[in-house]
Amino acid sequence: MSSDIPRLLQDSGVPFDMFIQSLTEQLDKAQAAMALKARVGKLPLTFAVKDISLDLRAFVQLLEDEIYIRPAGPGDSEASTIKLGLTTITKSMVEENAMDFEVEDPKLSLGDALGKSKESEDLQRRLEKIGVRNIKQLADLRKTAGTDVIARLARFPHNRLQQLLKIADLPRVTLEPRRTIEPQRAMEPRTTREPQVAIDPRTVKNPGAPIEPGIPMEPGMPMGPRMPIEPRMPMEPGVAINPRVARIPRMAKEPGMPDSIGKQNIPNRTPAPNRFRLRTPLINQNKLLRVLAGDREVPIVELKEGEMVLEPLVSQLGSDATLELGNGESLKIQLVDGYVGSESKEHSEDLSKNIPGGQT
Amino acid sequence: MLRDLAILLEELQQGLTSAISDPALDMRITNAQILLPVDMRIIFRDGGVVLQGDVQRASDDQHWFDGFSRLQIEWQEIPVEEVLL
């Protein structure tokens, strides 16, 4: 190795995974260059690497639970031999054997949750060795294996594991992208014989409740991109139509008024109510869940394991709410974009330090 | 002076392709296996680790090696269209 590399590093070599990466990188480079040459040369057939095996004479060391290897050089004796075999694999085989690198929510990274210290790095490595790379995976593993098994397999202190799992359980609220209702489609004449009904989502969620007036925008209130929603849905035969729900608001036509007047008074795009996505591993879709803000229930418009979408009333926006988990337990949340809950004062301090922009 | 392993592989493939494209060769080669003693080392370059490897250039100045690493490559003839870039 080069003389400008620190002596300790030269003696130790490189971590084994880095060595494998460098080997595959060289193979990829060679394969790409060979393919390019074959295409430029307009040859019908060419040779590609099918299998490659390497008997590498090297020195192997174990440093901080990682395997380091250093290829033997001139004058080195009694080196070990590492036998490596590589073969050509298909794209589907790569996908089957690759780790699932889903986009990681930065607020759920192990590094942030554990904090920045030498001990934390060691704990993070222990979890990574059993395949846990983020907080969500840890919460998932708790459901299938239990905390005792995780602590034993990862040689992880129980108190730190409980602390991590509490952070994993914290409810997180984000504002959904704003949708709009396209009134043109709702107003177009019916062309089929199928009975159809235009539904105002606010009316459906709270039958009989008065429709809230327009939402005054406050400074800092987020406005997401607008998305159209389907204004009509086919009605099942035999379903009674609620006239309050089915009626499409129109301006009454005065005698002598042109036909287009009513359409002119309808805004081109109607903003849909704000929706918030609430995430926490404690949400069990098989339980009877409720979210209460003040003395009224917050409508749940979408529910799946670990998350739900809420459509609060205007008066509930920004207010404190309670998520009832259906097992006698409940969580305090706020209907505010970017809210991150806290189980205790200790966690709230941790989060405010570790999660940029997190509100507690 | 060792070179990047990719350069060695390219040269081996080039040599193989030249050999089979010789019109005087009265046969068709579909597979080839090469077993070579190689000298390998790892260097740090461009912010990463680069694997270098090469065959021994001369037989008389390699006596200080206790033993060589061995690289075995199996080549297979395939249509150019199937080669992925």
Side-chain angles (χ1 to χ4, degrees):
Chain A
M1 266 178 278
S2 170
S3 59
D4 56 348
I5 306 298
R7 184 71 201 164
L8 182 63
L9 206 54
Q10 289 188 47
D11 290 343
S12 308
V14 293
F16 191 62
D17 57 332
M18 285 178 78
F19 174 80
I20 297 292
Q21 280 172 17
S22 62
L23 176 59
T24 52
E25 187 186 342
Q26 293 297 314
L27 292 175
D28 289 343
K29 269 187 184 174
Q31 195 88 336
M34 290 184 285
L36 205 61
K37 278 184 189 172
R39 290 191 183 185
V40 171
K42 295 188 176 162
L43 300 170
L45 296 166
T46 187
F47 279 96
V49 176
K50 186 187 173 197
D51 291 306
I52 188 164
S53 62
L54 177 65
D55 293 355
L56 180 72
R57 291 183 59 77
F59 293 94
V60 182
Q61 290 188 64
L62 202 61
L63 292 174
E64 292 183 348
D65 291 344
E66 271 203 274
I67 297 173
Y68 281 68
I69 67 165
R70 179 177 67 81
D76 287 335
S77 59
E78 298 177 1
S80 309
T81 301
I82 301 171
K83 291 177 181 286
L84 297 167
L86 295 99
T87 187
T88 311
I89 58 172
T90 62
K91 188 183 174 193
S92 59
M93 288 165 76
V94 172
E95 287 166 356
E96 280 173 15
N97 291 291
M99 208 176 291
D100 185 14
F101 283 111
E102 60 186 33
V103 179
E104 187 178 327
D105 182 351
K107 290 172 187 168
L108 295 178
S109 75
L110 279 179
D112 283 340
L114 283 164
K116 306 288 179 196
S117 69
K118 184 74 180 166
E119 186 214 3
S120 300
E121 286 174 17
D122 178 47
L123 292 176
Q124 187 172 347
R125 259 203 305 274
R126 291 188 202 178
L127 285 175
E128 285 176 352
K129 278 181 187 169
I130 62 167
V132 175
R133 291 173 186 276
N134 57 43
I135 288 283
K136 185 176 177 298
Q137 286 175 337
L138 185 64
D140 292 344
L141 189 61
R142 173 183 52 181
K143 286 181 186 170
T144 54
T147 51
D148 286 343
V149 174
I150 298 172
R152 196 175 69 245
L153 287 180
R155 291 183 289 130
F156 209 90
H158 268 279
N159 58 339
R160 295 301 303 271
L161 185 60
Q162 292 297 342
Q163 188 187 6
L164 264 184
L165 288 168
K166 278 187 178 176
I167 293 174
D169 290 341
L170 293 181
R172 291 168 167 82
V173 178
T174 51
L175 185 69
E176 285 287 279
R178 191 129 188 177
R179 307 151 299 124
T180 54
I181 300 169
E182 296 286 348
Q184 289 89 344
R185 292 192 61 190
M187 298 299 292
E188 67 192 17
R190 293 175 186 173
T191 53
T192 63
R193 295 175 66 84
E194 187 181 13
Q196 290 186 322
V197 55
I199 294 182
D200 183 333
R202 289 171 296 187
T203 317
V204 175
K205 298 296 173 299
N206 303 283
I211 296 174
E212 301 282 341
I215 306 167
M217 287 300 295
E218 293 173 7
M221 187 178 283
M223 286 271 296
R226 296 180 168 194
M227 287 170 52
I229 65 164
E230 186 60 44
R232 294 182 174 197
M233 56 186 290
M235 193 183 76
E236 294 289 328
V239 174
I241 301 174
N242 180 344
R244 278 182 58 85
V245 175
R247 190 172 61 240
I248 300 169
R250 284 175 191 268
M251 183 180 178
K253 186 186 166 192
E254 297 289 332
M257 194 180 282
D259 288 344
S260 59
I261 286 276
K263 290 180 183 174
Q264 284 173 354
N265 284 278
I266 296 173
N268 286 335
R269 307 186 94 183
T270 309
N274 282 313
R275 285 184 172 182
F276 291 96
R277 188 169 292 272
L278 171 61
R279 291 186 178 92
T280 168
L282 298 176
I283 292 176
N284 183 343
Q285 62 180 354
N286 298 319
K287 298 275 185 184
L288 188 61
L289 301 165
R290 279 205 319 169
V291 180
L292 293 168
D295 54 349
R296 298 182 72 173
E297 200 167 327
V298 182
I300 300 171
V301 293
E302 196 182 310
L303 176 63
K304 56 184 178 180
E305 200 66 22
E307 65 180 76
M308 62 170 63
V309 177
L310 303 170
E311 193 175 281
L313 302 174
V314 178
S315 57
Q316 294 172 328
L317 290 173
S319 64
D320 292 336
T322 305
L323 165 63
E324 292 181 358
L325 298 167
N327 55 1
E329 295 178 4
S330 61
L331 287 175
K332 295 284 181 195
I333 61 168
Q334 268 183 16
L335 297 171
V336 174
D337 184 29
Y339 172 79
V340 180
S342 59
E343 282 287 315
S344 65
K345 193 168 184 294
E346 183 187 341
H347 290 143
S348 87
E349 283 174 354
D350 283 350
L351 280 174
S352 60
K353 276 188 286 187
N354 297 327
I355 301 173
Q359 299 177 35
T360 56
Chain B
M1 185 70 183
L2 296 182
R3 301 175 296 172
D4 288 6
L5 183 65
I7 297 173
L8 173 68
L9 294 174
E10 280 176 53
E11 288 191 354
L12 289 173
Q13 195 254 9
Q14 184 66 37
L16 194 61
T17 310
S18 305
I20 61 160
S21 55
D22 183 358
L25 191 67
D26 200 16
M27 65 177 75
R28 183 180 168 195
I29 299 172
T30 56
N31 276 284
Q33 205 174 69
I34 300 173
L35 178 61
L36 295 168
V38 288
D39 178 15
M40 308 204 82
R41 71 170 181 174
I42 297 166
I43 62 162
F44 292 87
R45 192 176 69 201
D46 302 331
V49 174
V50 178
L51 183 64
Q52 293 193 318
D54 216 334
V55 293
Q56 60 184 84
R57 301 297 178 88
S59 58
D60 57 350
D61 62 350
Q62 303 287 325
H63 57 274
W64 55 75
F65 274 93
D66 186 40
F68 278 100
S69 300
R70 288 181 181 277
L71 180 68
Q72 180 175 314
I73 311 163
E74 187 176 347
W75 304 90
Q76 190 178 30
E77 188 189 52
I78 59 167
V80 171
E81 303 86 55
E82 290 183 18
V83 177
L84 296 175
L85 268 179

